[in-house]
C-alpha cells in the first residue's frame, strides 16, 4: 500500500492504494482538483459558481455537473426536503469559524429562496427558476468524489484501496491480506477535545463507505446555545433534534454522504425507521442522552459489523 495525503475541499484527505505506480495516486489527486473546479460554490472559475450566478437563466453546464445535480435532487425528494441543495442562500449567511450568526430577518429572507423543486435539469441545461436560489452541493459532494476516486483506481487496476476525504471514508476490496477495513465511528465531541482517531466503535467493511454527520464540528457556543453547521431547511438555523451524530454505511459513498445530514435533522426515531426501510443502508445514531442506536443489520450481517 502507498498513500498520498493532501489538502483539498477545505480538509485533509488521504488516498491509499495497493500499487507500485505512484502516477496512479498523482492522477487521483489531480482528479480532486478537477472536481473542485466543477463543484465549488465559492470559486468563480467553477461550473457551479457560473450556474449560481446565471440569475435564473437556463444554463448549459458540464454534463457531469448536470447529471450530479439531477442525482442530488433525487436525494432531496427521498428525504422530503430534510436535505435541500438550494440551501446555499442560507448557508452563505453563516460563518462558523468567525462565529457569525445571521439575524432572523436575514435568514427568513434567504429561506424564501430555498426549495429544491425550483431546480430543473434538462439534459445538460440546468435552470434555477428562482433567480436568487443558490445551489450548495457541499452536503453530498465528498461522497460523489470518493466514489469517483475509487472508480479511477479500479480502472487503473487497483484492487485494494481506501479513500478518506476529511472523515468521509470509502473502501474497496478489503485489505491486501484479505481482512476487512476497520473504520472507526468517532465520539461525538469536537476534534480539539479528542485524541487522534478516538472512536467509540469500529465498523468492519470490505467494500463500501462510512460517513458521519454530527453537531460537534464547525460549531461554537454563544450565550449557552450551541450553533452548528447542520442547518435545518425549514428554519435556516442549526437543527434542533435528539441526535448528536448519525453514521450511514452504504455500498456507495454517495449514498452514505447523501443521507447523513438528513438523518440528523430527522431525529433518532425517524432516522432509524428511514434507514431500515432502505435495504442498502445501515445506520448508527448517537442520541443526545448518550444512547447508541443502530439498524438491525449492524453487527449481524456482513459486510457491516459493529465492533465495540
Amino acid at each position: 500500500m502507498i498513500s498520498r495525503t493532501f489538502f483539498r475541499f477545505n480538509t485533509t484527505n488521504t488516498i491509499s492504494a495497493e500499487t507500485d505506480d505512484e502516477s496512479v495516486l498523482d492522477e487521483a489527486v489531480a482528479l480532486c482538483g478537477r472536481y473542485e473546479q466543477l463543484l465549488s460554490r465559492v470559486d468563480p472559475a467553477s461550473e457551479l459558481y457560473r450556474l449560481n450566478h446565471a440569475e435564473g437563466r437556463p444554463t448549459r453546464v458540464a454534463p457531469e455537473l448536470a447529471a450530479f445535480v439531477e442525482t442530488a435532487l433525487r436525494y432531496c425528494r427521498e428525504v422530503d426536503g430534510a436535505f435541500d441543495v438550494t440551501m446555499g442562500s442560507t448557508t452563505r449567511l453563516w460563518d462558523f469559524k468567525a462565529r457569525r450568526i445571521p439575524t432572523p430577518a436575514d435568514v427568513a429572507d434567504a429561506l424564501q429562496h430555498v426549495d429544491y423543486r425550483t431546480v430543473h435539469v434538462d439534459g445538460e441545461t440546468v435552470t434555477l427558476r428562482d433567480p436568487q436560489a443558490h445551489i450548495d452541493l457541499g452536503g453530498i459532494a465528498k461522497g460523489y468524489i470518493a466514489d469517483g476516486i475509487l472508480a479511477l483506481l479500479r480502472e487503473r487496476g487497483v484492487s485494494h484501496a481506501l479513500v478518506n476525504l476529511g472523515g468521509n471514508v470509502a473502501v474497496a476490496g478489503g485489505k491486501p491480506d484479505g481482512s476487512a477495513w476497520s473504520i472507526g465511528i468517532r465520539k461525538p465531541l469536537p476534534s480539539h477535545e479528542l485524541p487522534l482517531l478516538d472512536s467509540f466503535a469500529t465498523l468492519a467493511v470490505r467494500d463500501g463507505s462510512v460517513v458521519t454527520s454530527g453537531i460537534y464540528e464547525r460549531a461554537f457556543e454563544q450565550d449557552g446555545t450551541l450553533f452548528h453547521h447542520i442547518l435545518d431547511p425549514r428554519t435556516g438555523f442549526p437543527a434542533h433534534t435528539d441526535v448528536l451524530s448519525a453514521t450511514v454505511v452504504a455500498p456507495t459513498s454517495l449514498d452514505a454522504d447523501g443521507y447523513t445530514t438528513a438523518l440528523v435533522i430527522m431525529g433518532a426515531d425517524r432516522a432509524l425507521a428511514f434507514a431500515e426501510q432502505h435495504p442498502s443502508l445501515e445506520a448508527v445514531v448517537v442520541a443526545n442522552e448518550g444512547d447508541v442506536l443502530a439498524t438491525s443489520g449492524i453487527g449481524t450481517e456482513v459486510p457491516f459489523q459493529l465492533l465495540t
Side-chain angles (χ1 to χ4, degrees):
M1 298 288 294
I2 59 174
S3 297
R4 188 69 52 81
T5 298
F6 58 99
F7 191 84
R8 180 76 69 176
F9 319 122
N10 201 32
T11 191
T12 300
N13 312 280
T14 299
I15 301 173
S16 301
E18 187 188 32
T19 179
D20 295 325
D21 187 353
E22 290 276 356
S23 68
V24 172
L25 291 187
D26 293 336
E27 195 174 356
V29 173
L31 178 62
C32 291
R34 187 177 71 77
Y35 279 132
E36 196 154 47
Q37 287 294 305
L38 187 72
L39 305 174
S40 172
R41 69 177 178 86
V42 297
D43 185 348
S46 79
E47 283 282 286
L48 181 59
Y49 186 96
R50 184 167 63 87
L51 172 62
N52 280 333
H53 292 80
E55 299 180 338
R57 295 184 297 271
T59 304
R60 190 178 181 88
V61 299
E64 188 173 11
L65 177 60
F68 183 37
V69 169
E70 191 164 34
T71 297
L73 292 173
R74 175 172 61 81
Y75 287 92
C76 296
R77 291 190 293 269
E78 287 190 16
V79 298
D80 295 325
F83 167 71
D84 193 314
V85 294
T86 60
M87 275 292 284
S89 62
T90 303
T91 56
R92 61 184 176 180
L93 298 177
W94 292 82
D95 188 333
F96 293 93
K97 185 176 292 186
R99 300 189 169 210
R100 186 181 73 211
I101 304 172
T103 67
D106 285 344
V107 171
D109 181 63
L111 279 179
Q112 296 181 46
H113 310 292
V114 174
D115 187 347
Y116 67 91
R117 292 167 295 187
T118 64
V119 181
H120 178 69
V121 181
D122 182 11
E124 298 174 14
T125 299
V126 182
T127 305
L128 305 183
R129 294 191 178 109
D130 179 348
Q132 296 185 61
H134 192 93
I135 292 178
D136 184 347
L137 296 170
I140 194 172
K142 286 197 292 185
Y144 179 77
I145 294 166
D147 287 339
I149 294 170
L150 285 183
L152 170 66
L153 295 177
R154 291 187 182 101
E155 288 174 5
R156 299 299 179 265
V158 174
S159 298
H160 307 280
L162 179 146
V163 175
N164 185 343
L165 305 182
N168 183 316
V169 180
V171 297
K175 295 180 180 179
D177 64 6
S179 62
W181 297 97
S182 296
I183 303 173
I185 304 177
R186 57 165 294 167
K187 294 178 181 177
L189 294 170
S191 294
H192 64 81
E193 296 183 11
L194 292 175
L196 186 64
L197 303 180
D198 194 1
S199 304
F200 71 86
T202 302
L203 286 160
V205 184
R206 292 183 181 279
D207 292 277
S209 181
V210 179
V211 178
T212 299
S213 288
I215 67 172
Y216 45 82
E217 292 289 21
R218 290 177 59 200
F220 62 91
E221 190 170 321
Q222 184 168 304
D223 298 328
T225 300
L226 179 69
F227 294 91
H228 58 83
H229 75 286
I230 300 178
L231 304 181
D232 190 330
R234 297 166 296 186
T235 68
F237 280 85
H240 183 68
T241 68
D242 59 348
V243 175
L244 295 179
S245 71
T247 298
V248 174
V249 192
T252 68
S253 199
L254 183 59
D255 271 355
D257 202 16
Y259 293 118
T260 49
T261 298
L263 294 193
V264 173
I265 293 171
M266 287 178 185
D269 290 343
R270 185 182 167 203
L272 286 176
F274 178 89
E276 289 284 10
Q277 291 167 4
H278 290 70
S280 64
L281 303 182
E282 299 293 347
V284 178
V285 172
V286 180
N288 56 15
E289 296 297 326
D291 294 332
V292 178
L293 312 170
T295 48
S296 57
I298 290 288
T300 60
E301 296 180 5
V302 175
F304 311 131
Q305 183 178 8
L306 185 65
L307 310 172
T308 57

